[in-house]
Amino acid sequence: MTSTTDSTRELLLSRIRDVADYPKPGVMFKDITPLLADPVAFTALTDALAELCVRHGATKVVGLEARGFILAAPVAVRAGLGFVPVRKAGKLPGATLAQSYELEYGSAEIEIHAEDLAADDRIMVIDDVLATGGTAEASLELIRRAGAQVAGVAVLMELGFLAGRARLEPGLRGVPLEALITV
């Protein structure tokens, strides 16, 4: 667990709205847009994630498409680090490295510009939610294939009932996985 205070966790959790039956019946969607709209909560989130980057010696921040971009870019600025997007296949111009991964219902592919990462970079991967862990797992592989090191993975919220941590554990290879909130 992180050094995030109980009051910060409570603030963040209070700004996450449950939306029943979205995107399909039986799913309880965790909507972070109220948190993003609250400058106090968004600042607290940004500060907590930036502190993790500093603590784990990150030199750059990778944000996972799409909500991970919203969180990772201000974290990178706050921590004084560079920001590198991991995008869905076909969204980045020029030469990219790609990684496919399995979903419950098929497969997907993400890409990164390899030239944005160097061998001496320590990358903190940031996303909004750790669900099944597939996207995060693929991003770790991409970062390592680009020649950089992984400093850790940090998420606003972990959906513990989906067992993403267990899936991601082998790919972490001992680096920390930090969730500010676990539901």
Side-chain angles (χ1 to χ4, degrees), residues 100-115:
S100 295
Y101 61 101
E102 295 303 314
L103 302 165
E104 318 71 270
Y105 51 86
S107 64
E109 188 174 53
I110 55 174
E111 295 180 329
I112 195 168
H113 281 136
E115 70 269 8

Side-chain angles (χ1 to χ4, degrees), residues 14-39:
S14 75
R15 300 306 189 272
I16 297 170
R17 179 176 60 144
D18 287 343
V19 180
D21 299 321
Y22 183 82
K24 62 182 185 176
V27 173
M28 180 65 71
F29 184 78
K30 300 293 188 181
D31 181 13
I32 68 166
T33 59
L35 187 157
L36 300 174
D38 180 328

Side-chain angles (χ1 to χ4, degrees), residues 16 26 34 37 66 71 73 81 96 99 102 123-124 130 145 173 180:
I16 297 170
L71 304 185
L81 306 174
T96 61
Q99 182 68 40
E102 295 303 314
I123 308 302
M124 181 63 79
L130 176 65
R145 285 179 46 218
R173 300 183 195 167
L180 301 181

